């Protein structure tokens, strides 16, 4: 465990959590930013399941030395848990029952956390047409304007730039565990093959599944970026996207990070 007693990335908390039902999820706080895909995933699962929570703004690399430096972290029932994959792995059975312990659910959680999300982020960072919107979303309009004026000097905005190259390199170090990183269109196409008709959700389910929520919520905060929106449209997932928008609780838009 880390110096503060919480779990590092990709490691389960010790001692184990007692999140065996929604009743165990009391005084829930989500730490992160509204534009973060993994933060969005945690928020959407809690909101869809009707669990009350509040959001506290926290940026990456903002914690004391020895603490968890990424986002999200979540506090629930007196325990703090880090890393969206670990959080969701422990949340889903509490929110939706034992059906979410099935191997296919965790298989897709892994693909979304260590595949789709990273592919979406690096491809958007490498897309010149998404640079202004990405900078405006994650910083402010002034920096977004500067990114256009001084485009050639920014660490993102084209293939080979420093930030997406660094993310690709770090992900490549985990290829033995998760396999090589695919492209966003490849992950979306694989997902589309599991939507068995235009009126269904994952694996032909009549209602929204946990996998649908994780997929949608990961993409949702970046959906306004041209590269990401085009990916969803090209994968012929627009109908599914509209159904997901309609199925998500309206109060999600009221979340405030303070």
């Amino acid at each position: 465990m880390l110096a503060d007693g919480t779990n590092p990335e990709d490691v389960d908390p010790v001692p184990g959590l007692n999140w065996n039902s929604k009743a165990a999820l009391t005084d829930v706080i989500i730490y992160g930013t509204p534009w973060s895909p993994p933060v969005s995933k945690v928020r959407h699962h809690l909101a869809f399941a009707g669990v009350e929570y509040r959001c506290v703004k926290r940026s990456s690399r903002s914690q004391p030395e020895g603490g968890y430096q990424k986002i999200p972290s979540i506090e629930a029932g007196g325990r703090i848990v880090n890393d969206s994959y670990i959080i969701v792995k422990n949340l889903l059975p509490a929110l939706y029952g034992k059906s979410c312990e099935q191997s296919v659910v965790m298989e897709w959680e892994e693909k979304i956390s260590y595949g789709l999300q990273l592919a979406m982020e690096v491809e958007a960072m490498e897309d010149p047409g998404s640079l202004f919107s990405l900078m405006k979303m994650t910083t402010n309009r002034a920096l977004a304007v500067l990114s256009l004026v001084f485009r050639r000097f920014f660490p993102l905005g084209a293939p080979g730039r420093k930030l997406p190259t660094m993310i690709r390199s770090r992900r490549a170090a985990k290829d033995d565990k998760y396999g090589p990183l695919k492209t966003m269109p490849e992950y979306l196409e694989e997902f589309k093959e599991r939507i068995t008709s235009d009126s269904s959700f994952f694996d032909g389910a009549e209602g929204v599944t946990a996998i649908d929520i994780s997929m949608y919520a990961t993409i949702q905060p970046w959906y306004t970026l041209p590269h990401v929106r085009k990916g969803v449209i090209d994968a012929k997932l627009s109908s599914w996207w509209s159904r997901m928008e309609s199925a998500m609780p309206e109060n999600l838009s009221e979340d405030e990070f303070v």
Side-chain angles (χ1 to χ4, degrees):
M1 297 295 105
L2 299 174
D4 60 4
T6 64
N7 62 294
E9 185 177 17
D10 207 18
V11 175
D12 281 301
V14 176
L17 301 171
N18 63 345
W19 295 354
N20 47 24
S21 70
K22 288 193 284 187
L25 303 173
T26 58
D27 303 317
V28 178
I29 304 173
I30 302 171
Y31 298 94
T33 60
W35 51 263
S36 163
V39 172
S40 173
K41 181 167 64 173
V42 174
R43 290 168 51 217
H44 277 75
H45 277 297
L46 289 171
F48 187 78
V51 175
E52 293 187 0
Y53 61 90
R54 62 188 180 94
C55 301
V56 172
K57 189 174 183 179
R58 176 184 291 177
S59 301
S60 299
R61 300 177 297 279
S62 64
Q63 297 307 292
E65 185 176 354
Y68 186 68
Q69 298 299 329
K70 296 184 177 182
I71 55 175
S73 294
I74 184 174
E75 186 171 350
R79 296 289 301 278
I80 297 177
V81 184
N82 307 315
D83 182 2
S84 66
Y85 178 77
I86 298 297
I87 293 169
V88 171
K89 182 176 79 170
N90 285 278
L91 270 182
L92 295 189
L95 298 179
Y96 309 118
K98 290 188 176 297
S99 63
C100 281
E101 296 175 350
Q102 297 174 2
S103 59
V104 66
V105 176
M106 295 319 302
E107 173 192 346
W108 273 90
E109 282 302 324
E110 186 173 286
K111 287 181 183 179
I112 293 167
S113 297
Y114 301 109
L116 170 79
Q117 177 194 318
L118 295 178
M120 175 183 73
E121 290 175 347
V122 296
E123 289 172 24
M125 291 177 186
E126 293 169 343
D127 176 41
S130 295
L131 178 60
F132 177 81
S133 298
L134 180 58
M135 291 296 298
K136 183 180 178 183
M137 177 178 70
T138 58
T139 58
N140 55 58
R141 184 176 179 83
L143 279 176
V145 172
L146 284 176
S147 73
L148 297 181
V149 177
F150 301 102
R151 179 188 298 268
R152 60 182 297 185
F153 301 107
F154 267 69
L156 65 163
R161 295 291 172 86
K162 181 178 179 179
L163 188 53
T165 297
M166 180 181 67
I167 295 173
R168 287 189 181 278
S169 177
R170 289 178 177 176
R171 174 57 174 78
K174 299 181 179 180
D175 281 358
D176 288 346
K177 185 172 185 178
Y178 302 116
L181 184 67
K182 301 177 184 178
T183 66
M184 180 182 175
E186 287 175 318
Y187 288 111
L188 293 177
E189 180 59 31
E190 186 177 357
F191 180 75
K192 176 64 171 64
E193 291 176 359
R194 303 297 290 262
I195 308 297
T196 56
S197 77
D198 287 342
S199 60
S200 69
F201 297 95
F202 187 84
D203 268 357
E206 295 182 0
V208 176
T209 72
I211 297 173
D212 289 300
I213 294 173
S214 288
M215 177 67 76
Y216 171 82
T218 297
I219 300 171
Q220 192 272 338
W222 287 44
Y223 185 67
T224 57
L225 302 182
H227 178 80
V228 177
R229 184 186 294 269
K230 182 177 185 299
V232 172
I233 294 171
D234 288 350
K236 296 180 172 57
L237 284 167
S238 296
S239 295
W240 170 84
W241 187 267
S242 296
R243 293 194 299 275
M244 290 301 299
E245 281 186 317
S246 298
M248 292 299 99
E250 293 183 1
N251 63 317
L252 274 161
S253 62
E254 301 171 3
D255 285 353
E256 294 185 5
F257 287 74
V258 296

